[in-house]
Amino acid sequence: MKNIYTITTFLMFWALSSCQGNDDCIQPLPDKLKSDNTINTVTDVTFHDGRSFGDGNILGNENSFAASTEGVLMQGFYWDVPAGGNWWNILKGKLTDWSKAGIGAVWLPPVSKAQNGALSMGYDPTDYYDFGDYNQNGNIETRFGSRVELEALITKAHAEKIKVYADIVINHNSGGQLEKNPFTGTDTWTNFSGIASGKFPRNYNDFYKNSHGTNDEGAFGGFPDLCHANPYVQDWLWGREDSVGKYYKNVMKFDGWRFDYVKGFGPWVVNAWNKNVGGFSVGELWDSNVDTLEWWANKANSSVFDFAAFYKMDEAFDNGNLNALKDDMMWKRNPFRAVTFVANHDTDIINNKMLAYAYILSHEGYPTIFYRDYEEWLNKDKLNNLIWIHNNKATGTTSILHVDQDEYIARRNGYNGNPGLIIYINSSSNWQERWVDTHWENKQLKDFTGHSSWYPTTETDKRVKIQCPPNSYSIWSINQ
């Protein structure tokens, strides 16, 4: 009897200590030590016919620009990428591997010449039609390269079946010359009549305050605030055949738009752009209030970055409270207008990123991967595995099966013959297991992450026991 007790104690110590804090540990708990946790509450989170973000005209509106046809978006830059005009070439060299991994679209930084020329990240735009082919603002090329290199990048992306989204900065401009401004009674940096491309020349009446009013929804950084109420500005941004939007789409061959700082102008601006230009659309509305995000997306007829989910993930994964994942998020309100993300060039606050990527790549919405996470900081093989799971298993509406402080289990309910999946996230330092409700009767399951070596079979009542390693995740579906 003493020997049995000693062996049992040893097995318990070995199971806990050898896996503690080890994301790659795949050893299951010994059978005699497994708990029989039973859960019965299923909370349906989304309600639609089951189609995914990219399944065509989901919103039933031919003029809707919310739904992308892609599975996973790559943010193809970070703040202060290497200067020297080689970034377009660097990205071009990665496109084949990204395509093989399942990336369907890439978001580029602002592509036109800005005030700081070869040093600028592009968010201080001067000439929307100078892509690195005019000697302007101290250099011919932009920080990222020449127009020829940009066009080669876009062509290569399309050959690899990857869409390309342009970062559109239309709240403010920079790099104009001083001129007398009768509306301010001072000299202002609003004279853009001498831009090298000759397209979209501007002066003081194209910026607030002017004959159209004193201000709009918001200014940024003291830059001249572009006046969208001016019909001349509207015409050059999206109206005329050589407008910024139509030129980028029809000549440069961009497939969609990420709109910068949309708090600075009304959502009608993006709506008008989308109606006249087309293409995928997402707005950077930096606000954690899901009511605000939903309001803007509906008014703009656009997708929006899900900052509500972003901040809830930080609370859940970095502050030890997975209960935060029960809270409201944009993807729960309308998954077809939600673009989810873990980090970007502006904000990078989530530390436990692999749990966050497991969350967004298994849930609804349009997930974005940050360049540095993929290429430099995290395990690329694990991210590729999650991309594959997203593109092949993450289908249908979402139901939450269990949430507590350190466990989260959710089910994607499948669509059109695809069975969906169950994701189990465990932020504790021990292996965990739960009985869960599935839609599958007498089916063998597999953890498609490889973190667990179990191959459990669902019962006749469609329930099954699954497990998850410490500080990690497992994703289960039918073994087929």
Side-chain angles (χ1 to χ4, degrees), residues 391-460:
N391 291 345
N392 291 277
K393 300 293 182 181
T395 59
T397 57
T398 302
S399 301
I400 294 179
L401 307 183
H402 176 80
V403 189
D404 60 33
Q405 184 170 321
D406 54 19
E407 291 177 81
Y408 172 89
I409 307 174
R411 185 179 69 209
R412 296 294 301 278
N413 293 310
Y415 175 71
N416 197 27
N418 187 306
L421 58 80
I422 296 174
I423 177 168
Y424 194 159
I425 297 176
N426 171 21
S427 63
S428 77
S429 57
N430 302 304
W431 281 80
Q432 302 282 1
E433 60 184 34
R434 291 273 171 183
W435 280 93
V436 296
D437 293 303
T438 78
H439 292 305
W440 315 311
E441 180 180 349
N442 298 320
K443 296 291 186 180
Q444 186 186 70
L445 304 189
K446 171 185 175 181
D447 172 18
F448 280 84
T449 71
H451 290 164
S452 171
S453 60
W454 276 10
Y455 287 84
T457 299
T458 60
E459 306 286 343
T460 55

XYZ file of all heavy atoms in Angstrom, residues 391-460:
578
model
N -8.026 28.848 -41.509
C -8.479 28.742 -42.888
C -9.210 27.433 -43.175
O -9.959 27.353 -44.158
C -7.293 28.878 -43.838
C -6.714 30.272 -43.858
O -7.339 31.227 -43.393
N -5.505 30.415 -44.370
N -9.016 26.415 -42.344
C -9.572 25.094 -42.640
C -10.598 24.579 -41.637
O -11.394 23.708 -41.972
C -8.439 24.068 -42.749
C -7.574 24.287 -43.960
O -7.896 23.850 -45.055
N -6.451 24.978 -43.777
N -10.579 25.107 -40.408
C -11.451 24.561 -39.375
C -12.354 25.594 -38.703
O -13.375 25.225 -38.119
C -10.611 23.883 -38.283
C -9.744 22.722 -38.780
C -10.602 21.550 -39.231
C -9.759 20.371 -39.675
N -10.593 19.231 -40.150
N -11.981 26.858 -38.727
C -12.697 27.878 -37.955
C -13.916 28.368 -38.720
O -13.907 29.438 -39.327
C -11.765 29.031 -37.610
N -14.979 27.571 -38.694
C -16.181 27.895 -39.457
C -17.397 27.932 -38.537
O -17.451 27.271 -37.507
C -16.423 26.849 -40.559
O -16.574 25.549 -39.958
C -15.264 26.808 -41.536
N -18.390 28.700 -38.940
C -19.659 28.723 -38.246
C -19.752 29.751 -37.143
O -18.809 30.483 -36.848
N -20.922 29.799 -36.537
C -21.164 30.698 -35.417
C -20.372 30.244 -34.196
O -19.762 29.177 -34.194
C -22.660 30.724 -35.081
O -23.094 29.378 -34.804
C -23.465 31.299 -36.222
N -20.398 31.070 -33.156
C -19.587 30.816 -31.971
C -20.467 30.614 -30.744
O -21.431 31.359 -30.535
C -18.636 32.000 -31.718
O -17.816 32.193 -32.872
C -17.748 31.733 -30.504
N -20.114 29.608 -29.944
C -20.755 29.367 -28.651
C -19.671 29.228 -27.596
O -18.666 28.547 -27.833
C -21.611 28.094 -28.681
O -22.612 28.170 -29.669
N -19.861 29.867 -26.461
C -18.927 29.724 -25.337
C -19.400 28.574 -24.459
O -20.561 28.528 -24.041
C -18.821 31.035 -24.543
C -18.189 32.126 -25.411
C -18.003 30.829 -23.275
C -18.074 33.474 -24.718
N -18.491 27.644 -24.177
C -18.830 26.450 -23.401
C -18.444 26.570 -21.934
O -19.106 25.996 -21.073
C -18.136 25.224 -24.019
C -18.372 24.997 -25.519
C -17.684 23.710 -25.967
C -19.861 24.947 -25.834
N -17.378 27.275 -21.641
C -16.952 27.435 -20.251
C -15.971 28.596 -20.148
O -15.098 28.766 -21.006
C -16.270 26.164 -19.731
C -15.736 26.312 -18.337
N -16.532 26.204 -17.229
C -14.488 26.598 -17.869
C -15.808 26.404 -16.142
N -14.569 26.651 -16.510
N -16.108 29.402 -19.104
C -15.142 30.452 -18.804
C -14.988 30.544 -17.292
O -15.978 30.552 -16.557
C -15.579 31.840 -19.338
C -14.419 32.835 -19.187
C -16.022 31.771 -20.784
N -13.750 30.596 -16.843
C -13.457 30.992 -15.468
C -12.169 31.803 -15.499
O -11.742 32.243 -16.566
C -13.400 29.797 -14.510
C -12.322 28.773 -14.879
O -11.260 29.170 -15.413
O -12.530 27.574 -14.633
N -11.544 31.986 -14.359
C -10.389 32.876 -14.305
C -9.245 32.417 -15.190
O -8.568 33.234 -15.820
C -9.896 33.007 -12.861
C -8.748 33.991 -12.708
C -8.442 34.291 -11.258
O -9.344 34.406 -10.448
N -7.161 34.423 -10.935
N -9.031 31.100 -15.275
C -7.880 30.630 -16.055
C -8.229 29.585 -17.114
O -7.333 28.953 -17.669
C -6.778 30.088 -15.137
C -7.278 29.022 -14.170
O -8.346 28.441 -14.428
O -6.594 28.791 -13.158
N -9.507 29.395 -17.405
C -9.909 28.490 -18.479
C -10.958 29.158 -19.362
O -11.860 29.831 -18.869
C -10.505 27.199 -17.921
C -9.515 26.296 -17.214
C -10.233 25.076 -16.640
O -10.483 24.126 -17.414
O -10.551 25.101 -15.443
N -10.818 28.946 -20.677
C -11.789 29.454 -21.643
C -11.961 28.390 -22.718
O -10.980 27.915 -23.307
C -11.293 30.754 -22.269
C -12.149 31.258 -23.422
C -13.235 32.095 -23.198
C -11.865 30.894 -24.733
C -14.018 32.559 -24.245
C -12.640 31.341 -25.788
C -13.716 32.179 -25.537
O -14.491 32.631 -26.580
N -13.216 27.998 -22.951
C -13.512 26.998 -23.973
C -14.648 27.522 -24.835
O -15.700 27.930 -24.323
C -13.905 25.640 -23.356
C -12.839 25.169 -22.362
C -14.084 24.589 -24.448
C -13.223 23.915 -21.603
N -14.441 27.529 -26.131
C -15.467 27.992 -27.060
C -15.564 27.033 -28.232
O -14.610 26.305 -28.556
C -15.158 29.404 -27.551
N -16.712 27.049 -28.891
C -16.976 26.151 -30.017
C -17.363 26.958 -31.242
O -18.211 27.849 -31.167
C -18.113 25.202 -29.640
C -18.409 24.119 -30.676
C -19.538 23.230 -30.187
N -20.828 23.927 -30.162
C -21.822 23.640 -29.323
N -21.679 22.700 -28.411
N -22.962 24.318 -29.395
N -16.715 26.674 -32.367
C -17.192 27.147 -33.662
C -18.101 26.063 -34.215
O -17.691 24.891 -34.312
C -16.027 27.429 -34.612
C -15.105 28.551 -34.154
C -15.802 29.912 -34.157
N -16.304 30.263 -35.480
C -15.559 30.800 -36.448
N -14.277 31.055 -36.224
N -16.074 31.101 -37.622
N -19.297 26.409 -34.608
C -20.348 25.425 -34.832
C -20.396 24.828 -36.229
O -21.279 24.021 -36.527
C -21.700 26.053 -34.482
C -21.799 26.335 -32.994
O -21.527 25.471 -32.169
N -22.169 27.571 -32.644
N -19.441 25.206 -37.086
C -19.333 24.582 -38.391
C -20.265 25.169 -39.424
O -21.251 25.848 -39.110
N -19.947 24.891 -40.690
C -20.742 25.441 -41.790
C -20.503 24.645 -43.066
O -19.351 24.308 -43.396
C -20.373 26.908 -42.032
C -21.052 27.524 -43.234
C -22.420 27.801 -43.211
C -20.347 27.813 -44.393
C -23.064 28.363 -44.310
C -20.977 28.377 -45.497
C -22.332 28.648 -45.451
O -22.968 29.198 -46.540
N -21.579 24.321 -43.749
C -21.516 23.754 -45.098
C -20.635 22.501 -45.162
O -19.806 22.342 -46.051
C -21.012 24.810 -46.083
C -21.302 24.431 -47.533
O -22.260 23.703 -47.812
N -20.480 24.927 -48.457
N -20.821 21.609 -44.209
C -20.076 20.359 -44.191
C -18.777 20.402 -43.411
O -18.201 19.358 -43.108
N -18.291 21.601 -43.094
C -17.097 21.722 -42.265
C -17.530 21.659 -40.799
O -18.387 22.425 -40.369
C -16.387 23.043 -42.553
C -15.041 23.169 -41.862
O -14.932 23.005 -40.648
N -14.014 23.473 -42.640
N -16.944 20.755 -40.000
C -17.465 20.518 -38.643
C -17.173 21.608 -37.634
O -17.745 21.618 -36.545
C -16.772 19.220 -38.227
C -15.499 19.203 -39.012
C -15.850 19.833 -40.341
N -16.284 22.545 -37.945
C -15.925 23.565 -36.964
C -14.875 23.063 -35.997
O -14.132 22.111 -36.286
N -14.808 23.652 -34.805
C -13.746 23.309 -33.858
C -14.166 23.659 -32.440
O -15.184 24.309 -32.215
C -12.445 24.045 -34.214
C -12.469 25.585 -34.285
C -12.377 26.242 -32.907
C -11.319 26.092 -35.155
N -13.351 23.217 -31.494
C -13.455 23.636 -30.092
C -12.079 24.108 -29.656
O -11.088 23.383 -29.811
C -13.931 22.495 -29.187
C -15.360 22.077 -29.568
C -13.894 22.921 -27.714
C -15.857 20.857 -28.828
N -11.999 25.324 -29.132
C -10.735 25.844 -28.640
C -10.759 25.868 -27.118
O -11.750 26.270 -26.505
C -10.406 27.245 -29.187
C -9.088 27.744 -28.565
C -11.555 28.223 -29.006
C -8.495 28.958 -29.197
N -9.649 25.434 -26.540
C -9.473 25.395 -25.085
C -8.230 26.222 -24.772
O -7.136 25.897 -25.220
C -9.281 23.940 -24.665
C -9.401 23.626 -23.191
C -9.665 22.321 -22.792
C -9.257 24.583 -22.183
C -9.780 21.962 -21.444
C -9.373 24.259 -20.852
C -9.633 22.937 -20.484
O -9.747 22.610 -19.155
N -8.398 27.304 -24.030
C -7.275 28.140 -23.601
C -7.111 27.986 -22.096
O -8.082 28.085 -21.338
C -7.497 29.621 -23.966
C -7.586 29.785 -25.488
C -6.367 30.498 -23.423
C -7.902 31.209 -25.940
N -5.887 27.739 -21.667
C -5.582 27.499 -20.248
C -4.425 28.405 -19.843
O -3.302 28.224 -20.291
C -5.214 26.023 -20.060
C -4.667 25.715 -18.677
O -4.901 26.461 -17.718
N -3.945 24.611 -18.572
N -4.697 29.382 -18.991
C -3.647 30.304 -18.555
C -3.056 29.922 -17.201
O -2.233 30.662 -16.651
C -4.196 31.736 -18.477
O -5.226 31.837 -17.510
N -3.441 28.762 -16.666
C -2.901 28.319 -15.384
C -1.564 27.615 -15.588
O -1.117 27.399 -16.718
C -3.877 27.372 -14.690
O -3.831 26.078 -15.281
N -0.948 27.217 -14.506
C 0.356 26.544 -14.567
C 0.222 25.029 -14.531
O 1.218 24.316 -14.369
C 1.244 27.015 -13.406
O 0.608 26.767 -12.167
N -0.991 24.511 -14.682
C -1.228 23.070 -14.653
C -2.042 22.644 -15.865
O -2.791 23.427 -16.444
C -2.012 22.676 -13.384
C -1.292 23.080 -12.125
O -0.148 22.708 -11.904
N -1.978 23.863 -11.294
N -1.903 21.363 -16.227
C -2.811 20.805 -17.222
C -4.242 20.908 -16.699
O -4.497 20.744 -15.504
C -2.490 19.337 -17.493
C -1.327 19.118 -18.412
C -0.003 19.177 -18.093
C -1.405 18.794 -19.791
N 0.760 18.914 -19.201
C -0.078 18.654 -20.262
C -2.452 18.584 -20.690
C 0.226 18.346 -21.585
C -2.162 18.256 -22.009
C -0.822 18.155 -22.446
N -5.185 21.163 -17.619
C -6.588 21.208 -17.266
C -7.385 20.336 -18.240
O -6.953 20.077 -19.370
C -7.124 22.644 -17.334
C -6.400 23.642 -16.454
C -6.813 23.537 -14.991
O -7.640 22.694 -14.626
N -6.227 24.369 -14.154
N -8.560 19.893 -17.785
C -9.425 19.122 -18.667
C -10.879 19.394 -18.316
O -11.212 19.764 -17.183
C -9.131 17.634 -18.565
C -9.335 17.057 -17.179
C -8.933 15.600 -17.110
O -7.974 15.206 -17.802
O -9.592 14.864 -16.356
N -11.739 19.216 -19.318
C -13.167 19.471 -19.145
C -13.986 18.552 -20.051
O -13.556 18.211 -21.161
C -13.517 20.912 -19.517
C -12.984 21.973 -18.588
C -13.909 22.222 -17.442
N -13.296 23.097 -16.443
C -13.876 23.435 -15.305
N -15.074 22.967 -15.018
N -13.256 24.226 -14.454
N -15.152 18.175 -19.572
C -16.166 17.602 -20.434
C -16.889 18.753 -21.142
O -17.245 19.751 -20.506
C -17.188 16.805 -19.615
C -16.712 15.439 -19.232
C -16.087 15.083 -18.074
C -16.838 14.250 -20.012
N -15.799 13.744 -18.070
C -16.261 13.196 -19.262
C -17.373 13.963 -21.262
C -16.207 11.883 -19.722
C -17.324 12.652 -21.730
C -16.752 11.637 -20.966
N -17.082 18.619 -22.448
C -17.739 19.674 -23.216
C -18.784 19.078 -24.148
O -18.727 17.901 -24.516
C -16.727 20.501 -24.045
C -15.761 21.233 -23.136
C -15.988 19.609 -25.038
N -19.732 19.916 -24.527
C -20.779 19.528 -25.480
C -20.314 19.815 -26.898
O -19.869 20.922 -27.203
C -22.058 20.310 -25.199
C -22.688 19.928 -23.877
O -22.990 18.736 -23.699
O -22.860 20.817 -23.023
N -20.455 18.828 -27.781
C -20.097 18.995 -29.192
C -21.340 18.781 -30.055
O -22.429 18.494 -29.555
C -19.014 17.990 -29.621
O -19.617 16.704 -29.846
C -17.921 17.877 -28.563
N -21.173 18.865 -31.358
C -22.224 18.508 -32.309
C -21.957 17.129 -32.914
O -22.637 16.742 -33.872
C -22.288 19.539 -33.437
C -22.760 20.885 -33.005
N -23.954 21.087 -32.354
C -22.211 22.125 -33.123
C -24.131 22.371 -32.101
N -23.075 23.022 -32.555
N -20.985 16.412 -32.388
C -20.487 15.208 -33.032
C -20.765 13.974 -32.179
O -20.401 13.933 -31.003
C -18.991 15.341 -33.282
C -18.597 16.667 -33.847
C -19.162 17.306 -34.910
C -17.560 17.536 -33.365
N -18.534 18.502 -35.135
C -17.536 18.684 -34.207
C -16.628 17.457 -32.335
C -16.642 19.735 -34.025
C -15.736 18.499 -32.148
C -15.746 19.621 -32.984
N -21.358 12.966 -32.768
C -21.658 11.719 -32.072
C -20.718 10.622 -32.544
O -20.559 10.395 -33.748
C -23.118 11.305 -32.333
C -23.533 10.013 -31.636
C -24.977 9.645 -31.923
O -25.706 10.490 -32.482
O -25.369 8.512 -31.600
N -20.067 9.944 -31.587
C -19.172 8.817 -31.882
C -18.115 9.182 -32.926
O -17.858 8.437 -33.869
C -19.974 7.601 -32.356
C -20.943 7.109 -31.300
O -20.614 7.089 -30.112
N -22.134 6.709 -31.726
N -17.508 10.346 -32.727
C -16.453 10.805 -33.631
C -15.141 10.939 -32.856
O -15.111 11.478 -31.747
C -16.813 12.154 -34.250
C -18.040 12.140 -35.140
C -17.791 11.361 -36.422
C -18.980 11.484 -37.364
N -18.760 10.720 -38.624
N -14.064 10.455 -33.466
C -12.738 10.641 -32.850
C -12.261 12.058 -33.108
O -12.328 12.565 -34.224
C -11.729 9.651 -33.424
C -10.384 9.715 -32.712
C -9.328 8.843 -33.361
O -8.860 9.130 -34.459
N -8.966 7.757 -32.681
N -11.773 12.705 -32.052
C -11.265 14.063 -32.165
C -9.749 14.075 -32.101
O -9.110 13.153 -31.601
C -11.835 14.942 -31.042
C -13.344 15.037 -30.902
C -13.702 16.115 -29.881
C -14.013 15.305 -32.238
N -9.202 15.198 -32.578
C -7.752 15.398 -32.583
C -7.472 16.840 -32.203
O -8.220 17.746 -32.595
C -7.197 15.113 -33.977
C -5.742 15.495 -34.192
C -5.335 15.281 -35.646
C -3.925 15.768 -35.915
N -3.539 15.578 -37.342
N -6.405 17.057 -31.420
C -5.929 18.407 -31.160
C -5.036 18.813 -32.317
O -3.916 18.314 -32.449
C -5.168 18.458 -29.833
C -4.491 19.801 -29.608
O -4.870 20.781 -30.276
O -3.568 19.866 -28.770
N -5.514 19.719 -33.150
C -4.791 20.072 -34.370
C -3.586 20.979 -34.105
O -2.856 21.307 -35.030
C -5.743 20.702 -35.382
C -6.557 19.682 -36.127
C -7.733 19.167 -35.587
C -6.144 19.215 -37.363
C -8.474 18.218 -36.256
C -6.872 18.255 -38.048
C -8.049 17.754 -37.495
N -3.381 21.373 -32.858
C -2.154 22.099 -32.529
C -1.009 21.149 -32.208
O 0.151 21.570 -32.192
C -2.363 23.020 -31.319
O -2.492 22.233 -30.134
C -3.586 23.897 -31.501
N -1.330 19.901 -31.889
C -0.317 18.943 -31.465
C 0.101 19.083 -30.021
O 0.995 18.371 -29.562
N -0.532 19.974 -29.274
C -0.155 20.163 -27.872
C -0.616 19.019 -26.983
O -0.028 18.782 -25.930
C -0.721 21.486 -27.357
C -0.069 22.687 -27.949
N -0.620 23.954 -27.891
C 1.100 22.831 -28.627
C 0.180 24.818 -28.504
N 1.230 24.161 -28.961
N -1.681 18.340 -27.370
C -2.147 17.169 -26.639
C -2.038 15.937 -27.524
O -2.313 15.998 -28.731
C -3.604 17.353 -26.194
O -4.119 16.145 -25.670
N -1.691 14.812 -26.932
C -1.595 13.555 -27.676
C -2.859 12.715 -27.549
O -2.900 11.588 -28.032
C -0.388 12.757 -27.185
O -0.508 12.466 -25.802
N -3.883 13.244 -26.909
C -5.151 12.525 -26.800
C -5.848 12.430 -28.159
O -5.763 13.343 -28.986
C -6.098 13.263 -25.851
C -5.891 12.958 -24.402
C -4.869 12.268 -23.833
C -6.760 13.353 -23.337
N -5.029 12.202 -22.475
C -6.194 12.867 -22.140
C -7.950 14.071 -23.270
C -6.765 13.071 -20.901
C -8.535 14.285 -22.034
C -7.956 13.788 -20.863
N -6.589 11.314 -28.346
C -7.507 11.160 -29.469
C -8.854 10.688 -28.904
O -9.252 9.539 -29.103
C -6.969 10.164 -30.500
C -5.815 10.705 -31.305
C -4.512 10.641 -30.814
C -6.018 11.290 -32.554
C -3.445 11.156 -31.550
C -4.968 11.795 -33.298
C -3.683 11.720 -32.785
O -2.636 12.228 -33.507
N -9.565 11.541 -28.194
C -10.807 11.125 -27.541
C -11.938 10.925 -28.555
O -11.921 11.498 -29.646
C -11.118 12.292 -26.609
C -10.523 13.470 -27.302
C -9.276 12.975 -27.961
N -12.901 10.103 -28.184
C -14.076 9.864 -29.013
C -15.308 10.408 -28.317
O -15.508 10.176 -27.117
C -14.251 8.356 -29.296
O -13.096 7.875 -30.005
C -15.493 8.108 -30.142
N -16.124 11.130 -29.038
C -17.333 11.713 -28.444
C -18.315 10.604 -28.075
O -18.400 9.560 -28.737
C -18.002 12.704 -29.407
O -18.374 12.020 -30.605
C -17.049 13.841 -29.758
N -19.079 10.846 -27.018
C -20.059 9.879 -26.549
C -21.313 9.934 -27.421
O -21.450 10.785 -28.306
C -20.425 10.203 -25.096
C -19.240 10.305 -24.145
C -18.637 8.955 -23.795
O -19.318 7.936 -24.013
O -17.498 8.925 -23.304
N -22.246 9.015 -27.146
C -23.504 9.020 -27.897
C -24.317 10.278 -27.619
O -25.144 10.686 -28.440
C -24.345 7.783 -27.549
O -24.541 7.738 -26.130
C -23.650 6.512 -28.010
